[in-house]
Amino acid sequence: MATATTPVGQDQPIKADLPPVVFDLSQPPVIEGFTPLPRAKEENFKDKFIRKTKENPFVPIGCLGTAGALIYGLSAFRRGKTRQSQLLMRARIFAQGFTVVAIIVGVAATALKPKQ
């Protein structure tokens, strides 16, 4: 009893070569029954910085305090005032802690704020 053999791939229909799909990345994809929300206006660095500072003013204050204590402490260390330098490094650590707490409180307040 002989079995008929067929070459591999002849049992399947031959697929026609389709042209590649070109995506327009500047436009959102078209999906039936879905309309995307309009994009908010683009904001530059200055506008975003001002908006974020108004939302949580304690973060920039803490950053400035940290930088000020660091710079003043390093200059005191350079002049040989070790006691003042140590106090300013402690002040820097306090300012860093203040900044971290301000960030956490700001994130929590933003998360708990009702959506508009």
Side-chain angles (χ1 to χ4, degrees), residues 23-38:
F23 293 106
D24 183 11
L25 298 177
S26 65
Q27 297 292 324
V30 178
I31 301 171
E32 280 187 46
F34 175 73
T35 53
L37 296 175

Side-chain angles (χ1 to χ4, degrees), residues 22-79:
V22 179
F23 293 106
D24 183 11
L25 298 177
S26 65
Q27 297 292 324
V30 178
I31 301 171
E32 280 187 46
F34 175 73
T35 53
L37 296 175
R39 288 186 179 174
K41 74 172 189 118
E42 296 291 325
E43 61 182 348
N44 58 17
F45 177 78
K46 180 182 174 186
D47 294 335
K48 186 174 183 178
F49 180 78
I50 291 171
R51 179 177 58 86
K52 293 285 188 176
T53 302
K54 287 179 182 177
E55 287 176 6
N56 194 356
F58 296 113
V59 173
I61 291 170
C63 290
L64 289 174
T66 301
L70 177 64
I71 292 169
Y72 194 52
L74 288 174
S75 67
F77 181 72
R78 174 183 262 173
R79 286 178 280 157

